[in-house]
């Protein structure tokens, strides 16, 4: 993607607030209050149509009265005056415009038309527009304060479509001594979109992490590209978004469409870009703080250290419930722990110090050091009373503070993430840990969930380049058309013939060889309506099946296919659904008639290469079936992955196809075989 120059947005030489006001109920007042905080760093011009004193400062009646070019203009006037205000800003030399004004695309087609017209004018002038319908922008590094509320400075850039979300998040972060390098209210994203702003943060030296609350991704592929660039630059992207419901893509005609939810598409995009997806503002803050402490790290195998059996057991359960592992220590680690602790201590993972804390508070340090030294442990969770020992006397208080500092040193020396849950999260010891970049949590489930978020996110994987559009578009969507499209692309199908009556069916079966399958053409879900007859072993059975379907279904024709041997095969579903934001999304899952019942599926942005396709297969809950169980042989996973890659390529080379699938795709030890196929064309 092309990087846009946003210098005038984040570090303007001059600023004007158009619509400045003394009315404390208006954005023109709120923005003006914040703008006046930066007058030591750049000229700020307040524009009020009456030219009255604003907040005790002189104003001008129009931008035309300003005697110097104005690089950044914040527009807060009502919607009916916004278009003229933008023209005035461009005439005054604005290179960036922040549109606080609402009442455009969010209201419908008429508002969108006005918005689009304004954007065209801004771009033609070589300027940029943030918003409209946004709450402003700030940059701590340049002392730019043009948001409706002050926010604490720090190392996190926040790009948000919700002002309230920003305020809530700032509270969580401030409590952890963190804040914002930048805040950008996205608004309608009429011109500048979230992808543009992520890209700008990649090049922003004061930003170490990018937090995003986004409801509309605009060009989803651009978002993935920008987030990938951020991850590769060592600036993790943490995303909070809506779309977690099971509301499927409307009008879906295939299994793929009915199973592909908004949330599944966003998850696929996050996996492609290495984005950390979270479910709440608090989880966003927890994840951000932990990433700032440790960066991307493996955390799956967790060592749990507690100073009581109850906390040890509960923490272990909570950790494993998130999908992480609490593996039993090897004998040498347990022996080393036994040498440090009393005979009643638990030393197998979880560790229970069993009273060692109050006897020797430094035991927390030695135990944590021993646990992290194990090559079989990726991370640690300390849980329980630590932080409260100082209440028992001055000696324990000093020892606990020393132990907290030493625990932080141990964590960073081993380079493995350590999170601490304590009943006393407001204690001095907790403050020491947090100050030394060891995240502290007041709830053990928050600590575990944060580790799980780190675990679920993989390194970004650049998407294969989109192949060129096929020369000849698909114009027919029948079963025969679908299977031939896939077959020509390299997906193997049984031998088959398209026939119109019983005589042609019998001749086709003789040529193919019995047993055969008879399929009625022109039906969406053939098996549900009796349009499929399997294992027809002789001419009489075939003739009877043709007659039955003619009487009950009156199909346009029939397909006679060879009957596949499914003895050692596993039925898969492979499909692609075209998302309006993120484009084609591939789905792989357990197939056949139970697809929607079991819903064992995995997703990735298409096209997928063979390695990605194999990863989708291996992430299925039923992956053990593919590797062979109870004496059954393993299927050829490489052949299955190659077929999935070919199917996904068909989708991206034919944008006129909105949905496609092969269900089932039979995976066997000897390769793959498509047994049914479907495509859905755009209206």
């Amino acid at each position: 993607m092309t990087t846009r120059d946003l210098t005038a947005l984040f570090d303007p030489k001059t600023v004007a607030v158009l619509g400045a006001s003394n009315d404390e109920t208006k954005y023109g007042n709120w923005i003006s209050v914040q703008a006046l905080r930066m007058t030591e760093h750049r000229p700020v011009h307040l524009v009020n149509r009456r030219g009255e004193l604003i907040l005790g400062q002189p104003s001008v009646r129009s931008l035309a009265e300003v005697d110097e070019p104005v690089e950044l203009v914040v527009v807060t006037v009502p919607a009916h005056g916004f278009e003229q205000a933008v023209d005035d800003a461009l005439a005054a030399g604005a290179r960036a415009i922040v549109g606080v004004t609402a009442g455009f695309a969010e209201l419908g087609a008429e508002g969108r038309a006005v918005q689009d017209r304004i954007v065209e004018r801004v771009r033609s002038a070589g300027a940029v527009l943030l918003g409209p319908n946004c709450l402003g922008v700030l940059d701590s590094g340049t002392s730019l304060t043009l948001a409706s509320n002050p926010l604490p400075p720090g190392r996190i850039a926040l790009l948000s479509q919700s002002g309230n979300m920003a305020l809530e998040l700032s509270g969580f972060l401030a409590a952890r001594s963190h804040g914002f390098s930048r805040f950008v209210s996205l608004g309608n994203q009429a011109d500048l979109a979230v992808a543009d702003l992520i890209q700008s943060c990649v090049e922003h030296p004061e930003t170490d992490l990018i937090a995003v609350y986004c409801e509309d991704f605009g060009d989803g592929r651009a978002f993935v590209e920008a987030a990938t660039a951020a991850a590769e630059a060592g600036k993790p992207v943490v995303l909070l978004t809506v779309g977690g419901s099971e509301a499927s893509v409307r009008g879906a005609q295939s299994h793929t469409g009915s199973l592909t939810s908004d949330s599944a598409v966003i998850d696929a995009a996050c996996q492609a870009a290495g984005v950390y997806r979270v479910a709440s503002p608090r989880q966003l803050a927890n994840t951000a703080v932990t990433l700032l402490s440790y960066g991307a790290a493996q955390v799956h195998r967790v060592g749990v250290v507690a100073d009581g059996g109850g906390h040890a057991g509960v923490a272990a359960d909570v950790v494993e419930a998130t999908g992480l592992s609490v593996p039993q220590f090897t004998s040498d680690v347990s022996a080393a722990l036994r040498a440090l602790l009393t005979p009643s201590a638990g030393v197998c993972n979880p560790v229970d110090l069993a009273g060692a804390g109050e006897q020797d508070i430094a035991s927390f340090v030695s135990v944590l050091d021993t646990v992290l030294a194990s090559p079989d442990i990726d991370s640690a969770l300390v849980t329980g009373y630590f932080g409260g020992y100082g209440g028992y006397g001055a000696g324990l208080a000093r020892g606990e503070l020393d132990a907290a500092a030493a625990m932080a040193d141990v964590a960073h020396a081993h380079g493995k993430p350590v999170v601490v849950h304590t009943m006393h999260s407001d204690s001095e010891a907790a403050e020491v840990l947090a100050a030394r970049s060891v995240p502290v949590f007041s709830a053990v489930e928050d600590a575990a969930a944060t580790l799980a978020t780190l675990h679920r996110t993989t390194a970004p994987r650049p998407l294969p380049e989109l192949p060129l559009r096929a020369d000849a578009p698909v114009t027919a969507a029948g079963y025969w058309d679908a299977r031939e499209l896939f077959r020509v692309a390299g997906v193997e199908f049984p031998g088959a013939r398209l026939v119109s009556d019983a005589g042609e069916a019998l001749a086709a079966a003789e040529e193919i060889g019995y047993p055969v399958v008879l399929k009625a053409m022109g039906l969406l879900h053939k098996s549900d309506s009796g349009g499929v007859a399997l294992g027809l072993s002789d001419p009489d059975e075939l003739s009877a099946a043709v007659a039955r379907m003619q009487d009950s279904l009156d199909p346009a024709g029939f397909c006679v296919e060879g009957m596949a041997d499914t003895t050692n095969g596993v039925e898969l579903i492979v499909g692609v659904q075209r998302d309006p934001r993120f484009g084609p999304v591939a789905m792989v899952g357990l197939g056949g008639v139970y697809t929607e019942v079991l819903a064992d599926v995995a997703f990735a942005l298409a096209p997928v290469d063979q390695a990605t396709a194999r990863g989708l297969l291996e992430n299925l809950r039923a992956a053990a079936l593919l590797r062979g169980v109870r004496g059954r042989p393993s299927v050829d996973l490489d052949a299955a992955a190659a077929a999935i890659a070919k199917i996904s390529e068909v989708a991206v080379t034919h944008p006129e196809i909105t949905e496609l699938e092969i269900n089932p795709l039979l995976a066997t030890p000897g390769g793959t075989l498509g047994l049914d196929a479907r495509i859905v064309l755009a209206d």
Side-chain angles (χ1 to χ4, degrees):
M1 63 181 294
T2 302
T3 302
R4 303 180 69 179
D5 183 2
L6 303 186
T7 303
L9 179 65
F10 292 114
D11 190 15
K13 293 182 176 65
T14 52
V15 168
V17 179
L18 207 167
S21 172
N22 287 313
D23 187 340
E24 294 180 353
T25 68
K26 293 183 177 180
Y27 284 109
N29 174 267
W30 303 351
I31 297 289
S32 297
V33 169
Q34 299 306 317
L36 292 174
R37 294 172 54 208
M38 61 180 181
T39 52
E40 292 183 4
H41 303 278
R42 55 181 60 84
V44 174
H45 301 280
L46 303 180
V47 183
N48 175 277
R49 61 188 176 86
R50 289 184 292 272
E52 60 192 16
L53 286 176
I54 302 296
L55 301 170
Q57 301 297 315
S59 70
V60 295
R61 289 180 174 84
S62 72
L63 285 170
E65 296 181 23
V66 179
D67 58 1
E68 63 179 336
V70 181
E71 281 200 341
L72 174 59
V73 176
V74 183
V75 181
T76 69
V77 302
H80 62 79
F82 186 75
E83 194 166 3
Q84 182 61 53
V86 169
D87 287 342
D88 293 345
L90 295 174
R95 312 305 297 163
I97 298 171
V98 177
V100 175
T101 306
F104 298 98
E106 71 272 20
L107 297 185
E110 185 176 345
R112 179 172 291 280
V114 175
Q115 179 176 291
D116 291 345
R117 186 168 66 236
I118 292 170
V119 169
E120 184 178 356
R121 201 169 302 169
V122 169
R123 289 180 175 176
S124 296
V128 298
L129 170 66
L130 178 66
N133 189 27
C134 78
L135 297 180
V137 59
L138 67 79
D139 187 307
S140 299
T142 64
S143 299
L144 183 76
T145 54
L146 283 171
S148 58
N149 296 81
L151 296 172
R155 299 155 56 194
I156 299 170
L158 173 62
L159 317 176
S160 177
Q161 279 190 275
S162 166
N164 283 348
M165 203 69 68
L167 296 177
E168 183 177 13
L169 182 60
S170 71
F172 287 129
L173 289 172
R176 294 162 172 80
S177 300
H178 284 276
F180 301 107
S181 57
R182 280 179 174 172
F183 164 65
V184 183
S185 176
L186 297 172
N188 290 2
Q189 301 185 75
D191 177 30
L192 291 177
V194 64
D196 298 307
L197 295 158
I198 290 173
Q199 191 67 45
S200 76
C201 292
V202 172
E203 301 161 4
H204 186 229
E206 285 81 12
T207 293
D208 292 336
L209 181 142
I210 304 166
V212 179
Y213 173 74
C214 192
E215 298 163 4
D216 183 354
F217 294 89
D219 182 343
R221 295 280 170 144
F223 167 80
V224 169
E225 188 176 345
T228 299
E232 291 174 343
K235 299 187 178 186
V237 176
V238 186
L239 172 68
L240 173 62
T241 185
V242 294
S245 69
E246 294 302 316
S248 298
V249 177
R250 300 297 182 256
Q253 297 183 49
S254 68
H255 292 96
T256 303
S258 65
L259 288 169
T260 307
S261 69
D262 294 341
S263 189
V265 173
I266 294 168
D267 279 342
C270 290
Q271 287 296 311
V275 170
Y276 297 83
R277 185 177 179 185
V278 297
S280 70
R282 184 175 67 181
Q283 196 177 94
L284 195 160
N286 291 342
T287 301
V289 169
T290 305
L291 284 168
L292 287 174
S293 296
Y294 303 112
Q298 185 171 333
V299 298
H300 180 63
R301 300 169 299 178
V302 184
V304 174
V305 178
D307 50 3
H311 275 109
V314 168
D317 282 350
V318 169
V319 167
E320 294 207 332
T322 67
L324 301 174
S325 170
V326 182
Q328 183 171 338
F329 293 138
T330 56
S331 58
D332 58 327
V333 174
S334 292
L337 291 170
R338 176 64 66 204
L340 296 172
L341 300 172
T342 63
S344 61
V347 295
C348 294
N349 202 16
V351 178
D352 173 13
L353 273 65
E358 54 266 33
Q359 299 301 317
D360 178 12
I361 195 69
S363 61
F364 277 95
V365 182
S366 56
V367 167
L368 182 61
D369 188 26
T370 303
V371 168
L372 293 177
S374 169
D376 301 314
I377 293 297
D378 304 316
S379 61
L381 188 156
V382 179
T383 178
Y385 195 74
F386 188 85
Y389 292 98
Y392 292 116
L396 263 176
R398 288 191 299 272
E400 189 172 50
L401 296 180
D402 292 342
M407 289 165 65
D409 291 342
V410 165
H412 295 298
H414 285 283
K416 296 180 179 181
V418 174
V419 294
V420 175
H421 156 246
T422 169
M423 301 160 61
H424 302 276
S425 57
D426 57 351
S427 65
E428 287 188 62
E431 290 176 3
V432 168
L433 288 165
R436 292 174 176 252
S437 298
V438 174
V440 177
F441 300 86
S442 59
V444 69
E445 56 268 31
D446 287 347
T450 301
L451 290 178
T453 300
L454 268 60
H455 170 65
R456 283 194 301 271
T457 304
T458 58
R461 51 173 188 270
L463 295 172
E465 297 219 1
L466 291 173
L468 295 176
R469 183 171 183 156
D471 293 333
V474 176
T475 58
Y479 168 67
W480 185 263
D481 307 292
R483 83 183 299 280
E484 286 303 288
L485 178 67
F486 290 122
R487 188 184 62 79
V488 170
V491 181
E492 189 174 349
F493 281 78
R497 301 290 183 272
L498 190 62
V499 302
S500 58
D501 56 31
E504 292 181 0
L506 292 171
E510 288 299 328
E511 184 178 349
I512 295 169
Y514 289 98
V516 296
V517 178
L518 182 69
K519 298 179 179 179
M521 298 294 94
L523 304 177
L524 185 59
H525 295 292
K526 297 179 291 296
S527 59
D528 293 345
S529 56
V532 177
L534 303 173
L536 303 174
S537 58
D538 57 45
D540 290 340
E541 290 184 357
L542 177 57
S543 297
V546 171
R548 177 181 58 78
M549 291 184 192
Q550 284 177 327
D551 291 342
S552 61
L553 303 174
D554 191 25
F558 303 92
C559 177
V560 179
E561 286 185 345
M563 181 71 186
D565 180 4
T566 62
T567 304
N568 289 319
V570 177
E571 292 186 347
L572 301 172
I573 179 173
V574 182
V576 179
Q577 170 84 11
R578 191 170 296 276
D579 182 81
R581 295 300 189 196
F582 291 94
V585 181
M587 182 189 79
V588 177
L590 203 62
V593 296
Y594 301 112
T595 294
E596 291 184 16
V597 176
L598 299 177
D600 184 8
V601 290
F603 299 88
L605 298 188
V608 297
D609 55 22
Q610 190 167 338
T612 302
R614 178 162 180 148
L616 293 175
L617 291 169
E618 291 173 341
N619 284 332
L620 296 175
R621 296 192 305 273
L625 294 176
L626 303 173
R627 293 189 289 267
V629 293
R630 294 181 175 265
R632 290 169 61 93
S634 171
V635 307
D636 188 338
L637 282 171
D638 289 332
I644 293 166
K646 291 172 184 174
I647 294 166
S648 78
E649 187 166 333
V650 169
V652 298
T653 55
H654 287 280
E656 69 275 12
I657 298 176
T658 59
E659 301 174 38
L660 61 77
E661 71 181 32
I662 294 182
N663 182 30
L665 176 72
L666 184 68
T668 72
T672 62
L673 203 59
L675 302 184
D676 198 10
R678 179 178 296 118
I679 58 176
V680 178
L681 298 178
D683 294 337

